[in-house]
């Protein structure tokens, strides 16, 4: 009888231990943080390093690893191949251009983040009115930013583009150029360095910040948030088909947390203008 009781007690202990281990493993799996690798570059890389270490990320149960890839095409390739889960560096128009050139490896939008205004800068002139006939204007040599720059020049009243000008338009689509402006296409990361050799240059805000320029104060003219610039809004992007993943939607929510936005506004002097719009707004 005594041996039987010992056996029963032992069995109960084993069963309870197994149930406890199962419960612990289930709890651990459910409470484990969502792990996301975010690819970025320039000032956005610094923003996401801050976000990854923030108490807001911990509160949303996100464990974020930030990877820096300085070339935009390589970063998009890494994202489409799932070597990077999400990337944060590009505008919607840039992603659209990438998708058109890479139809087998498309990306999709998770959500909007901000508008980082493109600006017209000059070391020689203090206003658009001073830009002379025959002036040389430098603009980015990648398709999306070439088109974006031309649209900004049109908005500034310097040129006129054909009516069906698209996201991949170029200088051949200029139909009116009253000042006879000449266009010099450059690597868009070199904008601040070429200012002394051209009359004006169109420089993205990430590059401008790296060159110690503030688009709100140092540019002759810059983009505003309106219908004409909606496709220039920056986004979180991922491989097509992954955009509705709960973890990635939490990441989008995290970016728009008030404490995160307060940091971004202070750190970048208001030049990353928050945009919280549905994806449909971009199209």
């Amino acid at each position: 009888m005594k041996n039987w009781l010992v056996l029963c007690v032992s069995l109960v202990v084993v069963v309870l231990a197994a149930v406890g281990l199962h419960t612990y493993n289930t709890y651990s799996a459910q409470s484990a943080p969502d792990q996301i690798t975010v690819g970025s570059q320039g000032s956005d890389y610094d923003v996401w390093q801050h976000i990854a270490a923030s108490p807001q990320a911990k509160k949303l149960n996100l464990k974020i690893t930030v990877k820096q890839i300085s070339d935009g095409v390589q970063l998009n390739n890494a994202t489409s191949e799932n070597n990077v889960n999400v990337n944060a560096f590009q505008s919607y128009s840039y992603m659209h251009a990438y998708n058109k050139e890479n139809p087998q490896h498309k990306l999709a939008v998770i959500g909007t983040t901000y508008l980082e205004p493109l600006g017209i800068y000059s070391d020689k002139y203090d206003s658009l009115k001073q830009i002379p006939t025959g002036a040389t204007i430098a603009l980015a040599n990648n398709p999306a930013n070439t088109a974006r720059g031309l649209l900004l020049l049109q908005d500034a009243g310097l040129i006129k583009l054909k009516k069906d000008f698209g996201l991949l338009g170029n200088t051949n689509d200029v139909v009116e150029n009253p000042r006879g402006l000449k266009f010099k296409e450059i690597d868009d990361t070199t904008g601040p360095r070429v200012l002394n050799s051209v009359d004006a240059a169109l420089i993205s805000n990430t590059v401008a910040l790296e060159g110690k320029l503030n688009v709100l104060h140092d540019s002759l003219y810059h983009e505003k948030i309106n219908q004409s610039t909606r496709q220039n809004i920056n986004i979180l992007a991922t491989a097509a088909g992954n955009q509705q993943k709960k973890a990635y939607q939490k990441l989008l929510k995290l970016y728009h947390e008030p404490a995160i936005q307060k940091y971004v506004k202070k750190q970048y002097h208001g030049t990353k203008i928050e945009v919280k719009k549905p994806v449909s707004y971009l199209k």
Side-chain angles (χ1 to χ4, degrees):
M1 179 66 70
K2 184 176 180 181
N3 290 339
W4 183 82
L5 286 173
V6 170
L7 179 59
C8 288
V9 170
S10 298
L11 286 171
V12 169
V13 170
V14 169
V15 169
L16 289 175
V19 170
L21 182 60
H22 173 73
T23 302
Y24 173 78
N25 287 338
T26 301
Y27 173 79
S28 296
Q30 291 175 344
S31 62
D34 291 310
Q35 300 195 37
I36 302 175
T37 299
V38 175
S40 196
Q41 57 183 249
S43 59
D44 279 353
Y45 173 75
D46 298 328
V47 167
W48 282 96
Q49 280 192 308
H50 171 83
I51 291 173
S54 69
Q56 288 76 27
K58 186 175 182 180
K59 185 176 180 181
L60 286 174
N61 207 28
L62 292 174
K63 184 176 181 180
I64 303 166
T65 300
V66 189
K67 182 181 290 187
Q68 183 164 221
I69 300 176
S70 59
D71 180 83
V73 174
Q74 289 181 14
L75 179 46
N76 274 343
N77 288 343
T79 307
S80 69
E81 294 166 2
N82 291 301
N83 294 321
V84 166
N85 300 129
V86 173
N87 72 43
F89 79 98
Q90 67 191 317
S91 65
Y92 175 76
S93 60
Y94 187 98
M95 188 201 75
H96 178 82
Y98 173 85
N99 281 349
K100 189 166 185 178
E101 294 178 2
N102 299 272
Q104 303 303 315
H105 304 280
K106 286 189 175 182
L107 302 176
V109 182
I110 297 168
T112 63
T113 52
Y114 60 81
L115 175 70
E116 198 159 21
L118 179 68
I120 304 173
Y121 298 81
S122 177
D123 275 353
K124 299 179 180 179
Y125 307 106
D126 297 321
S127 71
L128 292 176
K129 290 181 179 180
Q130 294 177 358
I131 294 177
T133 298
T136 298
I137 311 295
L139 70 164
N141 63 1
N142 65 70
N145 285 331
T146 299
R148 182 176 179 178
L150 290 169
L151 285 168
L152 181 59
L153 291 173
Q154 176 174 257
D155 195 56
L158 295 174
I159 61 172
K160 188 173 181 180
L161 302 166
K162 67 180 186 180
K163 288 184 179 179
D164 59 348
F165 185 83
L167 289 176
L168 301 178
N170 57 50
T171 54
N172 293 325
D173 300 320
V174 177
V175 294
E176 291 184 23
N177 185 2
R179 300 195 201 184
L181 301 177
K182 299 172 184 176
F183 304 107
K184 180 180 181 179
E185 294 192 2
I186 61 169
D187 179 331
D188 59 357
T189 64
T190 65
R193 300 198 294 276
V194 305
L195 276 175
N196 61 358
S197 62
V198 296
D199 295 291
L202 285 81
I203 306 174
S204 67
N205 189 53
T206 296
V207 176
L209 287 169
E210 292 169 355
K212 310 301 181 185
L213 296 169
N214 183 309
V215 67
L216 305 181
H217 306 299
D218 299 322
S219 68
L220 305 183
Y221 193 82
H222 62 267
E223 293 173 330
K224 311 296 191 297
I225 297 176
N226 54 42
Q227 282 295 103
S228 68
T229 60
R230 69 188 187 280
Q231 294 181 328
N232 299 330
I233 290 169
N234 274 45
I235 58 171
L236 294 184
T238 186
N242 293 339
Q243 62 268 32
Q244 294 302 326
K245 283 190 174 182
K246 289 183 179 180
Y248 300 172
Q249 290 297 321
K250 282 203 296 183
L251 189 72
L252 177 65
K253 179 183 177 181
L254 173 60
Y255 179 82
H256 290 290
E257 286 285 332
I260 299 299
Q261 285 306 306
K262 183 178 180 180
Y263 165 83
V264 172
K265 184 176 182 179
K266 181 179 179 181
Q267 189 73 10
Y268 299 99
H269 312 288
T271 64
K272 293 179 184 286
I273 303 167
E274 183 183 17
V275 177
K276 195 175 181 180
K277 297 280 189 181
V279 173
S280 59
Y281 175 80
L282 302 170
K283 301 175 182 179

